[in-house]
Amino acid sequence: MITVVGTGVSAPPADVLAGAGLVVGGRRHLDAAAVPASAERVVLGPLAPALDVVERHLEKGSRVVVLASGDPGFFGIVRVLAERFGADALDVRPGVSSVAAAFARVGVPWDDAVVVSAHGRDLRTAVNVCRARGKVAVLTGPGAGPAELGAALASGGAERGSRAGAAASGLVAQFPAPLQRVLLVASALGTRDERVERVTPAEAAARDWGTAVSVVLCLDEGRVVGTARTVAGPSPAPSQWALQESEFAHRDSMITKFEVRALALARLGPRLGDLVWDVGAGSGSVAVECARLGAAVVAVEKASDGVERIRANADAHGVDVQVVHGSAPDALAGLDDPDAVFVGGGGRELPGIVAACARRARRSVVVAMAALDRVPAVRAALTDAGFDCEGVLLQSSRLAPLPGDVTRLAATNPVFLLWGVRNPAYREGVAQ
């Protein structure tokens, strides 16, 4: 058996280590533990060599102890050990996870929190989750700590600082305002150097946090306590989408109709950890629906009354949507690259906007338009950027009442919906 011990906020008991032939762990875990003098010690760095040593000890019947932080089954080493040696070979003794300890230190319930790991992973997923949810715990790592997370949230984008020429283009005033978030940085939990500090994202970005950080809590302080829950974790996906137009404030029926929105959402595939752009957002109905499904969303709208309408609709549905007041494609220059983009409208500039979005989108672009004349150019913009393009003409008729308690069919305006999915064989503008 491999005994896997979560150290929690204290050193493991000596009896767990008694008789061990091999003890594996981080340097701080080994230094704090009563490792038998006869035991071989392996400091965890690259996993593969350590696992090879574990296997050699198991083959000769030696007892192996692995020391880990907190609960080793929660974003921890249990998964790797189970894959290599089988779950039956593990005796797991969990401690208090760093996430549980961090929330406990600040007296906040966390059954409704989202936990995301940035340790050895792309920071953008953690950033997008923090944008979309008001209670998030981020497990940090080298290059993905509170400074990097704070910089992304303070500026409104994880890649904002690297967008050359954004400030020179005069677009800084059009960038979305940072979301109202506070960061609680829990460092060196369970040690004499433990501390929990409350900072704004901008303050976090300006600090050197060293290497002792365990977890960062990203909170919307207006939603910290929340309501009693039956199911732990993030709020479940909404039971309905493609909501009726009456669910949104809009001007003169200038809104993406629910039939079109239903297929657009299916092709966008918004989910927690994604970033979605809604370009030419109008009322923001698509933006709000994507946010309800868990994505972080930026809505781009050139009309000032439209900007206020989008914000009002987002507030009415209890979601966060960051709004850029500006015209595409220029207003896109300082934003993070999205996973998916929805583009609405039908002006002469539409193919150019679609081309600009397609150059940046990581997964998909969906375009809704009424004008037949725009379809060939929009399709070409998607295919030229390396997307496999499909489309439909949506024509629907809704039931409508007539006098005499009878019903007729009321036709809605036909709409072309084109969508492109990035072809993985397309790289750097050249088909492979």
Side-chain angles (χ1 to χ4, degrees), residues 149-176:
L149 181 64
L153 295 173
S155 64
E159 302 162 9
R160 178 76 51 79
S162 66
R163 293 275 174 211
S169 68
L171 293 172
V172 174
Q174 298 178 0
F175 288 161

Side-chain angles (χ1 to χ4, degrees), residues 29 49 75 105 112 122 144 231 298 349 420:
H29 297 135
F75 287 104
R105 297 296 189 269
D112 56 346
D122 190 348
V231 179
V298 176
E349 69 278 6

Side-chain angles (χ1 to χ4, degrees), residues 304 346 365:
S304 56
V365 178

Side-chain angles (χ1 to χ4, degrees), residues 25-76:
R27 188 174 300 280
R28 67 185 179 89
H29 297 135
L30 295 171
D31 290 345
V35 179
S38 59
E40 182 180 355
R41 296 161 55 113
V42 171
V43 179
L44 272 179
L47 281 176
L51 296 179
D52 291 341
V53 177
V54 170
E55 185 168 11
R56 288 198 296 271
H57 275 263
L58 292 176
E59 288 173 349
K60 63 183 182 181
S62 179
R63 183 162 177 266
V64 176
V65 176
V66 176
L67 304 179
S69 298
D71 183 349
F74 187 75
F75 287 104

Side-chain angles (χ1 to χ4, degrees), residues 144-303:
E148 293 83 0
L149 181 64
L153 295 173
S155 64
E159 302 162 9
R160 178 76 51 79
S162 66
R163 293 275 174 211
S169 68
L171 293 172
V172 174
Q174 298 178 0
F175 288 161
L179 295 170
Q180 297 303 308
R181 299 288 189 263
V182 63
L183 301 183
L184 300 176
V185 183
S187 304
L189 288 168
T191 74
R192 290 175 297 179
D193 299 323
E194 176 183 308
R195 64 186 188 275
V196 179
E197 298 177 75
R198 180 188 185 281
V199 293
T200 66
E203 290 169 340
R207 290 269 300 273
D208 180 1
W209 294 92
T211 60
V213 172
S214 297
V215 62
V216 177
L217 307 183
C218 180
L219 306 177
D220 176 345
E221 290 190 298
R223 292 184 276 179
V224 165
V225 176
T227 57
R229 301 291 299 277
T230 302
V231 179
S235 300
S239 59
Q240 292 183 330
W241 51 93
L243 301 174
Q244 293 281 354
E245 291 88 75
S246 58
E247 297 284 338
F248 303 94
H250 54 89
R251 178 176 59 84
D252 300 329
S253 295
M254 298 297 290
I255 182 173
T256 304
K257 301 302 186 288
F258 71 76
E259 300 95 333
V260 178
R261 216 179 317 125
L263 183 54
L265 290 168
R267 294 297 178 259
L268 290 168
R271 59 194 174 189
L272 193 63
D274 280 353
L275 174 63
V276 177
W277 291 351
D278 182 0
V279 179
S283 66
S285 61
V286 173
V288 168
E289 295 240 44
C290 288
R292 292 178 72 239
L293 290 166
V297 183
V298 176
V300 179
E301 173 56 37
K302 64 182 179 181

